[in-house]
Amino acid sequence: MSGRLNLDSKAREWLDLGLNFSTSVTDLKQINADNAFANPLQLVALAPITPVRDTNGILYDRPTTTYYNTLRHVEYSHRKMNEYRNIANGYMNIKLYEGLQWRNELGYDLYTLKENQKLGELTNDGQNGGFGMSNYGQTQNFVTKSLLNYNGKFNEISIAAVAGTELQYVTIDRTWVTGERFPMDAFITLNSAGSITEGKQTVEKYAMLSYIGRVNADYQEKLLLSISGRIDGSSRFGKNNRYGFFPAASLGYVLTKEEGLKDNPVISFLKPRVSYGKTGNAEIGNYEHLGTFGVATYNNNAGLIPYNISNPDLSWETTDQINAGLDYGFLNNRINGEIDYYVKKTKDLLWRVPVPGVSGHSTMMKNVASVENKGFEFIINTINLTGLIKWNTTINFSYNKNKVTDLAGAEIYDPGSSRFMNVFMVGQPMGVFYGAEFAGVDPTNGDALWYVNGPNGVDSLGNRLTTNQFDQANFVVLGSPMPDKIFSITNSFEFTINGTTIDFSFMFQGVHGNKIHLAGDSYMAASGEWFDNQLRSQLDSWRPDNPNTNVPQARLFYANGTEGRNSRYLEDGSYIKLRNVTFGITLPKSLLSQAKIDRMRLFVTGQNLLTFTKYTGWDPEVSSDFVVSNLRSGVEFYSAPQPRTVIFGINLSF
Amino acid sequence: MKTLKYILLTTIAVFTLASCDQYLDQDPYQEILEERALNSDRGVKMVLLGAYSTMNDQNFYGGLVQTMSELLAGDGEIQFVGTYNGLRQIFAKSTLISSNENARATWLKAYELINICNNVLSAVDIVLPADRGRVEGEARFLRAAAYFELIRLYGNRPYIAGNTSNNEPEWGVPLVLTPTRIISDANKVPRATIQEVYDQIIVDLKEAAAKLPSTNGYFATKGAAQAMLARVYLQMQDYPNARDYADTVIQSNKYSLVPVYANVFNQNEKTTEDIFVNKFTTQTRFSAMTEYWSIPDYGGRDGDIDILNGHLNLYPAGDARRALFFHDNIAWRSGKWNNQYGTVVTIRLAEMYLIRAECNQRLGTSVGDTPLNDINRLCARAGLGDTFYATITLDDILLQRRLELAHEGHKLHDIKRLQLPVGPRPYDHPKLTLPIPEREIQAYLPVILKQNDGY
C-alpha cells in the first residue's frame, strides 16, 4: 500500500519551490532460509510413506520423520514482517541569470523494518518453551544537493552544463531481542518470555561527499559530446585515500543528419558513438579501514578482542569502461535498435584477503585483484504490421565474458569448503567451479571413478587415468556459474475492433553457457550415504545385474561418489522461459464516457509460465540464499523455485 | 524582491560551502579504536576477559577440540553419523584432506587466542601492581593451553620422550609471542620444532603457576596451571614431574570428588571436582559438546555420535559411569553433555588421581598415596564398592583412565603417548594428525609453510 503527494509552486518569477512526499507500507511473508531444517523444500528429504499426523492430530516430528517436519513451522508459529518507507524531498530552484539556475534539494528517506516472530514449543527452535524474536531496524538517509544548471546556445552549438555538490549521510539503527520459556504457545509477544536470551542494539553511520561537473554540447544536433567528472569521498576509506576521481566522456555522431544520408530511403537513423567512463565502488562495511577491538562476552561479563586490522590505505575500487556502439534505424525506423561492444576493467577490487592465521586474524580488507568483463549487446525492434493488427517484435541478445585477471599475485583463491566448489582463479570467470571430474562407474564393482587429471593424469599411451579414491583426483575447472549469453524475445500484438482494443504480448527469455551446482544432490542422490528420500535417478544405480550405468553403487552410510566438489552434481543451467504473457482489453470510449471514465483496460498477466531446460532441478534461475556472494553463485541447495503468478488487473484513468 | 533573493542566495551559499567533509570522519559504535583498548588498566583486563571468551568458542574448548580428539581415535568405540562433512572426514580419516573446515576453524581460533594473550602480555605493565601477576598468569595459562592443543593436534609426530623426531625442524607449529598490529611478511612465521613448542608451554605454565592466585572464580588458578602441567608432563612421558604436579593439586585440598558420578556433569555451575571449566550462558553461546554428542531433546543436533558396544562392553557390571549412557531409540549416546548451557569441563580432579596413580605405578613409588588406593577411590565413586581392585597393574590403571575420562577429549592423546593403534593405523600414522589448513599454506605463499606428512 502506498501513497504519494507532489506540491509544486512558483513562488516568484525567479523562484520555484517544491515538496514531494511518498509513503508506503508493505506486508512481507517470508519462508525460512535455504540452509535451515525449517526450509519447506527440506520436506522432500522425508520418506513419502511418513505419516503426517498422529491420532491426536499433532504433526509428527523426529524420529518418525527423518528430519524436522517443516509443517510444524507453518502450524505452530507466527511471523509478521512490515516495511515502512517515508520519503520527503524539498527543492528550491532559483533563476540567477538567463540560462543559469541554481537548484537546491534536501531529502530525507526513512525506512523502517519491523519483524516479530514466535515459534511454538513443537518447532525445532522452540523446544525451550517456545522461541520469540523481535527485530526493529531503521535506516535514515539524508541527502542534500546544490547544483548550478546552465543552458545556452551559441550559433549552432547548444550547451547544457551542471556543477555542484552532494552530501549523503546515513544512519542505521537496529534493535533485536530473543526470548524463550513462554507460559503457553498462545503468548506471542516477548513480554511473556520467561528468559530473555539475547538482546542487541547497534548503530552504524556512513557518509559520502561528492563534487560533480558535466558539460553536454551538441553541434547542429548532429555531433554530440558529453564530458563529466566527479570527485567522491567516502567515510568508509582511510583518511589518506578517501576521494576518488571519476571522469567520463562520450562522443556521438548522428550520421543521418548529414547531407549524404539525410534523405536516404533505407537508412533512417545511424548514430555511431564511443564513450569512456570510470566508476567507483565503495560497497564494503562502514569501518573497515580502522584497527579496532570489539566485544566478546564470557560468563555474563563483556571483554574486548581484536576485531579488525587497520588499513589506512583502503580506497575506491574502480572500473574503467570503454564502449563503442551504433544506434540504427531502417525504413523509417520500422526496424531500429542498437549494437554495443564494451570492455570493462575493474581494479583494486575491495576484497577480504586471507592473511596468515598465525597472526590472530584471518582476513584483511584490501584493494587487490582485478577483473575484466568484455562483451557485446545487440537490440533490434521491428514494427512488423501496422494495419488492423499491429505486431511489434523486440529481440535482445548479449554476450559477456568475465575473467579474473589478477589475485594479488596468487593463482587461485579457494576458501577450502568440502561442500561448495566456487573459486577465484586467474584467467577464469569469477566463482568458477573447481573440483574433481567424475569418470563414471567401474562396471566390475560399482565404485565411483574420478579422472586423476593433473600432471600424471595420462598413462604412457595417452589414456586418461582414473581412480576410485577421491583425494587422488586432482581438481580441474569444471564450468562457470555465469551465463555468457543472455537473450529475450518479445512479441506484442494490438487489434482494434469497434472501439475495443485487444492487446496481447508474450516474452521468452533465456540464458546459456552456465552450469549449476546441485549441492543438495549430495543428500538427494547420495548412493546410500544418507537416509534421505532419493531422486528417481538412483534406481539406475550399479548392481551386478546392472553394470553399465553412471550411478555409483548404493552403499549404506558410505561415501561412494557423493563428495560435494565433483562434476557429478554439476548440470547445464541454460534455459528458455516463457517469462510473461499478457492479454488485455481496453473498453471503447463510447461505453466509458457515460461514466466519465477516460480509459479502462482489463488485463491478465501470467509470469514464469513455462520453462524449457535440460536442468533436472526445480528452477534453473535460483541461487541458494545462504551462500550467494561474489564468489558463490550458481549453487542450488533446497532453494525454493520462483512461483508462477497470474495477475488480474484494471487500469483506470479519469 | 532583490533583497530577498540576495538573502536567500547568501544563506544557501553559506550552507553549501560550509565544511561538510567532517561527515566523512566516522568512528564505529560497536567497536573501539585499538589505541584505546590497551592504554588503561581496565582495558587490559577487558582484553584478558576477551581471551576467555575466545577460549570458550565452540571451535576451541567449547567442544571441537575435544570432539576431534575422540573422533580421530574413536574407531570401534564410537561412530559419527551426523551431516557435518568436516567431522565425517575426521572420523573416517581416509577422506580427511587439507581443506577440512574443522581443522581450519580450530587452527584459526587457537591463534586468535594466542594473539589476544600476546596483546595482554605486551601491555601487562599498565595493569595495577596488585593485579599484575594474576593478569600475566592468566594470559600465560591460556596461551599455553592454546599451544598445547595445537601441538597435540597438528604436530607432524607425537611427542616421544628422547626421540629425535622432537627436534626435527618444522614439525611443530609456528610460535608467535608478540601481538599483531600490521600484516606483513613478518607474520609468515615458520613451524618450530615439537620440542620448542613444548618448552614454551612449560615456561608459560610454570610462570602462571607461580603468579596465579589459588582462587579466581571461573578464571585460571594456581591449581589449574599445576594440573595442566601434570597433563603436559604426562604427555611428554616425564612421569616424575607429572606425578609431583598432580600430587600438589590433590594435596592442596582445594578440590574434592563429587560423590555421585552423574552429578559431575550437566551442571550449571562448577563443582567441587572442577579444576578448570568452560562456562556457557544463554548470552554467550551454547556448548558444542551438546551439539555434537547429544540429541534434540536437550538442544543437541540429531544425535550425531553413536556410542558402540566396543566401548560400552568395557565397563564392569554396576558401574555408574556406564549408567550415564542412554539410548534414544536409535543408538546409545553419551550422557555427559545434555546441558546446552551447562559447564564443559577442561580439567577435573579425577584426572589428577589417574595421573598420580599411573606415574607412581610406572616409577614404583607411592607419592601421596598408592596407585591401588587412588584407583579404588575412583571406582568407589563409580559405585563399584570400596575395594574393586585387590591388586593393580598398569593396564588396570589405563583402563580406568579410559572409562573415567571417556569422551572428554583425551583419547587421541593417550593413544599417541601409549603408542597404541587406532583400528588398522599405528599411533604415528599420518592421518591421526590434522592437516595444516590449506588456507594457511596459501596465505603464506611465496613462503613455504611445511604441510604434515599425510596431506
Side-chain angles (χ1 to χ4, degrees):
Chain A
M1 200 169 48
S2 66
R4 196 185 309 240
L5 175 66
N6 292 341
L7 301 166
D8 295 286
S9 134
K10 201 163 181 65
R12 297 278 188 281
E13 177 262 321
W14 50 267
L15 181 62
D16 289 315
L17 296 171
L19 211 52
N20 300 328
F21 295 104
S22 80
T23 179
S24 76
V25 178
T26 312
D27 191 355
L28 300 168
K29 289 185 164 44
Q30 273 195 344
I31 58 175
N32 275 70
D34 291 348
N35 198 26
F37 280 118
N39 169 14
L41 265 309
Q42 180 69 43
L43 285 170
V44 303
L46 306 183
I49 52 170
T50 309
V52 181
R53 286 176 205 279
D54 63 20
T55 48
N56 297 321
I58 308 287
L59 290 166
Y60 274 114
D61 190 16
R62 299 151 293 176
T64 305
T65 62
T66 317
Y67 290 106
Y68 172 64
N69 184 354
T70 312
L71 296 176
R72 284 192 166 195
H73 246 67
V74 175
E75 288 199 5
Y76 306 127
S77 72
H78 299 264
R79 191 173 189 173
K80 195 162 161 56
M81 250 173 100
N82 290 104
E83 278 185 334
Y84 305 88
R85 195 84 187 263
N86 296 296
I87 305 178
N89 269 310
Y91 71 85
M92 174 161 45
N93 211 13
I94 301 171
K95 232 191 263 187
L96 294 172
Y97 298 110
E98 190 59 48
L100 184 64
Q101 296 187 12
W102 192 6
R103 185 184 175 93
N104 290 285
E105 284 182 28
L106 207 61
Y108 182 67
D109 177 355
L110 180 62
Y111 169 83
T112 309
L113 172 71
K114 188 173 74 172
E115 181 182 7
N116 292 311
Q117 182 183 43
K118 170 78 198 308
L119 300 175
E121 289 173 16
L122 292 176
T123 62
N124 61 347
D125 291 326
Q127 284 174 318
N128 255 341
F131 175 84
M133 183 263 279
S134 183
N135 179 23
Y136 177 84
Q138 184 188 78
T139 304
Q140 297 175 77
N141 194 327
F142 173 77
V143 176
T144 168
K145 293 187 206 185
S146 189
L147 301 165
L148 283 167
N149 282 298
Y150 173 74
N151 278 292
K153 199 169 167 79
F154 304 95
N155 297 331
E156 311 233 294
I157 302 180
S158 302
I159 299 204
V162 178
T165 77
E166 179 178 322
L167 172 70
Q168 183 186 27
Y169 179 52
V170 179
T171 307
I172 304 162
D173 285 90
R174 206 170 158 224
T175 313
W176 152 293
V177 191
T178 64
E180 293 176 351
R181 300 194 211 283
F182 291 76
M184 292 192 282
D185 274 0
F187 287 93
I188 59 174
T189 58
L190 277 166
N191 190 51
S192 328
S195 160
I196 296 293
T197 50
E198 196 180 12
K200 279 200 189 354
Q201 179 233 347
T202 60
V203 176
E204 285 200 15
K205 296 190 188 193
Y206 70 90
M208 187 145 98
L209 180 60
S210 314
Y211 301 96
I212 52 184
R214 182 177 71 230
V215 176
N216 286 337
D218 76 75
Y219 173 69
Q220 295 181 343
E221 288 183 3
K222 194 165 51 176
L223 203 58
L224 310 157
L225 172 72
S226 172
I227 300 179
S228 68
R230 49 184 306 151
I231 299 176
D232 292 295
S234 170
S235 67
R236 291 173 174 166
F237 298 128
K239 234 190 158 86
N240 308 333
N241 271 332
R242 277 202 179 130
Y243 289 94
F245 174 57
F246 306 107
S250 71
L251 185 64
Y253 186 21
V254 185
L255 273 177
T256 42
K257 286 216 166 182
E258 285 295 1
E259 287 306 317
L261 279 177
K262 217 163 167 184
D263 299 306
N264 191 305
V266 176
I267 304 174
S268 49
F269 188 73
L270 205 61
K271 173 181 159 193
R273 47 184 166 70
V274 68
S275 70
Y276 161 77
K278 192 184 188 99
T279 52
N281 175 33
E283 288 310 302
I284 53 173
N286 293 315
Y287 307 107
E288 306 212 59
H289 66 106
L290 294 168
T292 54
F293 273 62
V295 174
T297 58
Y298 185 66
N299 196 15
N300 293 333
N301 287 309
L304 295 172
I305 53 171
Y307 185 77
N308 192 47
I309 267 271
S310 92
N311 184 357
D313 297 326
L314 194 65
S315 188
W316 289 90
E317 170 187 301
T318 58
T319 300
D320 288 283
Q321 174 169 355
I322 297 186
N323 188 314
L326 182 70
D327 294 344
Y328 62 88
F330 299 114
L331 304 175
N332 207 23
N333 283 350
R334 193 155 163 175
I335 300 174
N336 65 75
E338 297 170 31
I339 307 175
D340 275 90
Y341 173 75
Y342 61 87
V343 176
K344 277 165 88 155
K345 295 196 186 200
T346 308
K347 64 185 203 319
D348 289 331
L349 233 82
L350 285 162
W351 183 32
R352 288 226 143 246
V353 182
V355 298
V358 301
S359 67
H361 292 265
S362 55
T363 59
M364 179 178 171
M365 180 61 85
K366 267 179 123 163
N367 295 89
V368 291
S370 310
V371 167
E372 180 186 270
N373 278 293
K374 272 198 238 203
F376 67 86
E377 291 179 351
F378 175 79
I379 303 174
I380 182 165
N381 304 305
T382 57
I383 302 172
N384 304 316
L385 299 174
T386 54
L388 185 62
I389 301 178
K390 296 186 179 48
W391 175 24
N392 298 342
T393 305
T394 299
I395 299 178
N396 230 305
F397 179 85
S398 68
Y399 175 82
N400 185 60
K401 206 161 158 57
N402 173 290
K403 192 163 71 164
V404 175
T405 49
D406 182 68
L407 272 180
E411 278 301 305
I412 178 173
Y413 167 68
D414 184 341
S417 166
S418 55
R419 213 190 243 186
F420 304 110
M421 42 181 160
N422 306 80
V423 302
F424 287 140
M425 192 189 284
V426 174
Q428 296 290 335
M430 283 169 71
V432 71
F433 294 118
Y434 187 61
E437 192 181 349
F438 184 60
V441 171
D442 188 333
T444 60
N445 58 20
D447 284 347
L449 296 174
W450 316 99
Y451 285 114
V452 174
N453 282 316
N456 302 317
V458 291
D459 65 16
S460 48
L461 299 170
N463 300 316
R464 295 181 75 183
L465 293 172
T466 62
T467 171
N468 63 357
Q469 299 292 317
F470 181 74
D471 51 353
Q472 300 286 328
N474 289 301
F475 283 0
V476 289
V477 171
L478 297 171
S480 168
M482 287 192 266
D484 51 9
K485 306 173 205 61
I486 301 178
F487 45 87
S488 75
I489 172 167
T490 310
N491 281 293
S492 46
F493 302 86
E494 204 178 274
F495 175 66
T496 307
I497 185 163
N498 282 343
T500 311
T501 306
I502 297 174
D503 61 270
F504 173 65
S505 75
F506 61 92
M507 168 166 82
F508 283 97
Q509 186 255 334
V511 306
H512 186 269
N514 61 322
K515 290 208 151 87
I516 300 182
H517 179 199
L518 290 106
D521 276 14
S522 274
Y523 300 102
M524 292 193 268
S527 297
E529 190 186 3
W530 295 101
F531 20 73
D532 295 37
N533 193 17
Q534 299 290 294
L535 296 171
R536 222 182 302 155
S537 56
Q538 294 293 291
L539 291 173
D540 193 30
S541 64
W542 186 96
R543 292 183 306 279
D545 62 302
N546 182 28
N548 295 315
T549 171
N550 259 340
V551 183
Q553 182 187 40
R555 295 175 188 163
L556 188 61
F557 297 148
Y558 187 85
N560 187 17
T562 55
E563 285 81 359
R565 297 183 69 156
N566 80 80
S567 62
R568 197 176 148 215
Y569 298 133
L570 273 183
E571 284 189 21
D572 188 342
S574 313
Y575 66 83
I576 295 179
K577 283 192 173 184
L578 180 54
R579 179 70 74 195
N580 188 310
V581 176
T582 303
F583 181 79
I585 300 180
T586 310
L587 297 180
K589 285 219 154 40
S590 49
L591 215 61
L592 301 173
S593 56
Q594 297 157 9
K596 300 269 203 274
I597 300 175
D598 257 357
R599 184 172 177 269
M600 175 161 157
R601 172 174 171 260
L602 305 154
F603 68 90
V604 57
T605 298
Q607 289 172 341
N608 298 322
L609 295 174
L610 291 173
T611 306
F612 303 97
T613 179
K614 279 190 301 202
Y615 174 71
T616 61
W618 295 301
D619 186 344
E621 227 179 332
V622 177
S623 229
S624 192
D625 55 25
F626 74 105
V627 291
V628 73
S629 66
N630 271 347
L631 176 67
R632 289 202 178 130
S633 55
V635 177
E636 196 284 332
F637 191 79
Y638 300 97
S639 316
Q642 288 180 82
R644 262 192 211 120
T645 343
V646 178
I647 303 172
F648 296 93
I650 306 178
N651 297 122
L652 281 171
S653 58
F654 297 89
Chain B
M1 201 53 50
K2 277 215 156 170
T3 339
L4 174 62
K5 191 171 180 180
Y6 287 131
I7 293 174
L8 211 54
L9 286 175
T10 333
T11 326
I12 302 169
V14 165
F15 269 109
T16 315
L17 301 173
S19 176
C20 290
D21 63 353
Q22 73 211 35
Y23 280 96
L24 297 183
D25 287 317
Q26 294 290 339
D27 277 345
Y29 284 77
Q30 285 74 246
E31 293 88 43
I32 196 177
L33 297 177
E34 60 191 353
E35 307 84 76
R36 295 172 58 186
L38 286 169
N39 62 1
S40 67
D41 166 77
R42 184 182 180 82
V44 178
K45 287 171 177 167
M46 288 296 106
V47 178
L48 178 64
L49 214 144
Y52 281 98
S53 182
T54 306
M55 166 211 78
N56 177 251
D57 189 274
Q58 286 143 339
N59 290 324
F60 196 70
Y61 274 160
L64 188 57
V65 152
Q66 301 94 313
T67 304
M68 289 199 292
S69 160
E70 294 293 330
L71 288 179
L72 276 170
D75 292 23
E77 293 193 24
I78 59 176
Q79 178 155 3
F80 185 79
V81 296
T83 57
Y84 284 143
N85 283 23
L87 293 177
R88 306 192 108 223
Q89 280 185 6
I90 289 175
F91 180 68
K93 292 174 276 289
S94 56
T95 48
L96 182 52
I97 46 180
S98 61
S99 58
N100 181 281
E101 48 245 45
N102 301 101
R104 176 170 74 241
T106 297
W107 173 275
L108 290 175
K109 192 56 62 178
Y111 276 104
E112 271 177 50
L113 178 57
I114 289 166
N115 185 38
I116 300 174
C117 295
N118 289 339
N119 268 290
V120 171
L121 290 169
S122 72
V124 78
D125 290 332
I126 300 176
V127 179
L128 298 173
D131 300 322
R132 208 170 285 167
R134 170 179 70 77
V135 169
E136 182 188 340
E138 292 187 61
R140 283 188 183 267
F141 173 80
L142 293 173
R143 186 167 75 180
Y147 276 120
F148 190 42
E149 299 305 329
L150 279 171
I151 192 64
R152 293 195 297 177
L153 289 170
Y154 297 90
N156 200 20
R157 288 286 184 283
Y159 184 95
I160 301 296
N163 196 318
T164 53
S165 59
N166 298 346
N167 290 310
E168 199 61 42
E170 296 192 273
W171 278 18
V173 294
L175 274 175
V176 178
L177 302 171
T178 51
T180 302
R181 282 282 166 270
I182 55 165
I183 301 289
S184 69
D185 282 344
N187 294 109
K188 298 177 181 174
V189 177
R191 293 174 74 169
T193 69
I194 298 172
Q195 186 68 50
E196 283 169 340
V197 179
Y198 272 99
D199 288 344
Q200 180 62 43
I201 294 169
I202 300 287
V203 162
D204 275 342
L205 284 174
K206 281 188 167 168
E207 282 292 312
K211 293 184 166 142
L212 283 169
S214 303
T215 38
N216 197 4
Y218 275 92
F219 304 120
T221 58
K222 191 187 289 295
Q226 291 164 340
M228 189 65 91
L229 273 164
R231 188 189 270 188
V232 174
Y233 277 123
L234 184 70
Q235 192 74 40
M236 293 170 81
Q237 301 116 47
D238 180 347
Y239 304 114
N241 269 317
R243 174 200 62 196
D244 291 342
Y245 273 105
D247 185 55
T248 309
V249 175
I250 298 169
Q251 304 276 23
S252 73
N253 287 324
K254 290 208 68 62
Y255 312 100
S256 59
L257 293 177
V258 171
V260 176
Y261 187 74
N263 292 340
V264 177
F265 306 97
N266 299 313
Q267 301 301 316
N268 291 326
E269 305 290 331
K270 62 185 164 114
T271 66
T272 56
E273 185 170 335
D274 287 325
I275 300 175
F276 189 70
V277 291
N278 279 265
K279 185 86 168 65
F280 291 89
T281 67
T282 55
Q283 300 290 324
T284 319
R285 55 180 69 89
F286 57 84
S287 137
M289 292 306 277
T290 303
E291 186 185 359
Y292 299 139
W293 296 82
S294 187
I295 55 175
D297 303 33
Y298 301 114
R301 216 157 175 271
D302 259 340
D304 284 356
I305 300 183
D306 294 353
I307 313 294
L308 307 175
N309 284 332
H311 178 78
L312 298 170
N313 292 344
L314 296 170
Y315 294 88
D319 194 326
R321 298 168 297 193
R322 169 70 180 82
L324 198 53
F325 293 95
F326 66 98
H327 200 278
D328 69 343
N329 291 328
I330 301 179
W332 285 97
R333 309 266 174 233
S334 167
K336 289 185 177 180
W337 314 112
N338 287 345
N339 189 341
Q340 198 179 12
Y341 294 108
T343 58
V344 166
V345 62
T346 302
I347 320 179
R348 58 190 177 91
L349 187 62
E351 186 185 342
M352 293 300 109
Y353 282 116
L354 287 163
I355 294 179
R356 187 168 78 176
E358 181 180 340
C359 295
N360 272 326
Q361 182 77 9
R362 288 179 185 274
L363 298 168
T365 55
S366 303
V367 171
D369 207 339
T370 64
L372 183 66
N373 286 346
D374 277 341
I375 298 302
N376 275 337
R377 185 174 287 121
L378 294 177
C379 289
R381 194 267 291 270
L384 294 171
D386 285 336
T387 47
F388 184 69
Y389 285 102
T391 55
I392 198 119
T393 65
L394 183 61
D395 282 340
D396 293 330
I397 298 175
L398 294 175
L399 172 67
Q400 287 305 318
R401 183 183 169 89
R402 199 162 155 190
L403 300 182
E404 178 68 37
L405 301 176
H407 314 131
E408 291 177 41
H410 297 268
K411 188 90 195 292
L412 180 72
H413 311 310
D414 285 339
I415 287 288
K416 287 187 175 178
R417 72 177 174 86
L418 299 170
Q419 303 186 23
L420 298 171
V422 174
R425 295 181 174 92
Y427 77 99
D428 58 356
H429 191 278
K431 290 289 194 184
L432 287 175
T433 283
L434 293 178
I436 305 293
E438 182 62 33
R439 59 94 55 210
E440 199 68 359
I441 312 266
Q442 292 287 324
Y444 262 62
L445 291 175
V447 172
I448 306 287
L449 179 65
K450 181 170 164 32
Q451 175 57 279
N452 283 332
D453 285 345
Y455 303 98

